Amino acid sequence: MTEGQFRQENKVTNPFLYALELGYYAGLIWGAVRWIFYTLKFTRVVPGFLMEPFFKHEFLVTAAGQIAGWLSFIAFSVIASLIYVFLFRKLKGPWPGIIYGVIWWIVLYIALNPWLRFTPPVKKLTWDTNISEFCIFILWGLFIGYTAAQEFTDERMREPKQVTG
């Protein structure tokens, strides 16, 4: 088998394009889940909480503001996915992604919140809001981390195909 044939059969994934696609779907899916949680009143954090420093809260509670918030969560997910894919894509299993989601929750809700005022302080949010948001970020991180791990650490793709006789 020549090198050209090997490359044609075993395509190498472009990390940048993969991270863009992964982030888009992570934001699309988990942004929709956040929106559903907000609509069902599991959380009091508006879907557009990432845009809170830039827009008035009155706009973010409208339908247009919620759609804009969903789009901002997609953009945030693309950035987070790019970071994960370029720094941690070789980590195996679900735990790195879960930890990644927890770290982002801590960064957004505890570390940056006093300055950017995305949401009321965690101590002033209800238990159901805190638990819902924390769980969404765990699942969002798991989605990004485990999907990247499956793509970039799946050894079956690198094994030669068996020839049957």
Side-chain angles (χ1 to χ4, degrees):
M1 179 182 293
T2 66
E3 185 178 338
Q5 289 172 330
F6 180 77
R7 283 188 183 167
Q8 199 170 15
E9 287 182 17
N10 296 322
K11 295 187 176 159
V12 178
T13 302
N14 180 329
F16 179 74
L17 294 176
Y18 188 80
L20 290 178
E21 184 178 8
L22 174 59
Y24 171 76
Y25 284 108
L28 187 71
I29 293 166
W30 297 105
V33 171
R34 288 194 77 259
W35 197 356
I36 291 168
F37 273 35
Y38 179 74
T39 303
L40 296 176
K41 303 201 184 317
F42 289 131
T43 179
R44 294 185 181 163
V45 176
V46 294
F49 79 103
L50 293 170
M51 298 173 55
E52 196 76 50
F54 311 108
F55 292 94
K56 291 185 177 188
H57 185 76
E58 293 78 27
F59 168 71
L60 295 176
V61 296
T62 65
Q66 291 178 15
I67 291 170
W70 192 4
L71 294 173
S72 72
F73 193 75
I74 291 171
F76 162 71
S77 297
V78 167
I79 293 167
S81 179
L82 283 165
I83 292 168
Y84 191 91
V85 166
F86 282 104
L87 296 179
F88 308 118
R89 70 177 176 243
K90 295 294 182 179
L91 299 177
K92 295 180 181 181
W95 288 107
I98 292 170
I99 293 168
Y100 193 66
V102 169
I103 289 170
W104 273 112
W105 183 85
I106 291 169
V107 166
L108 293 175
Y109 287 82
I110 296 174
L112 293 179
N113 202 29
W115 294 285
L116 298 176
R117 304 200 190 282
F118 290 130
T119 66
V122 172
K123 290 180 181 179
K124 292 188 178 183
L125 292 172
T126 61
W127 278 100
D128 53 344
T129 295
N130 281 324
I131 290 169
S132 296
E133 293 292 330
F134 188 73
C135 289
I136 288 171
F137 271 86
I138 286 174
L139 293 170
W140 169 84
L142 175 64
F143 181 85
I144 290 173
Y146 202 58
T147 304
Q150 283 298 105
E151 181 65 27
F152 292 105
T153 63
D154 189 7
E155 294 299 321
R156 289 179 292 151
M157 295 297 290
R158 291 179 192 81
E159 292 178 8
K161 295 184 179 183
Q162 265 187 338
V163 179
T164 56

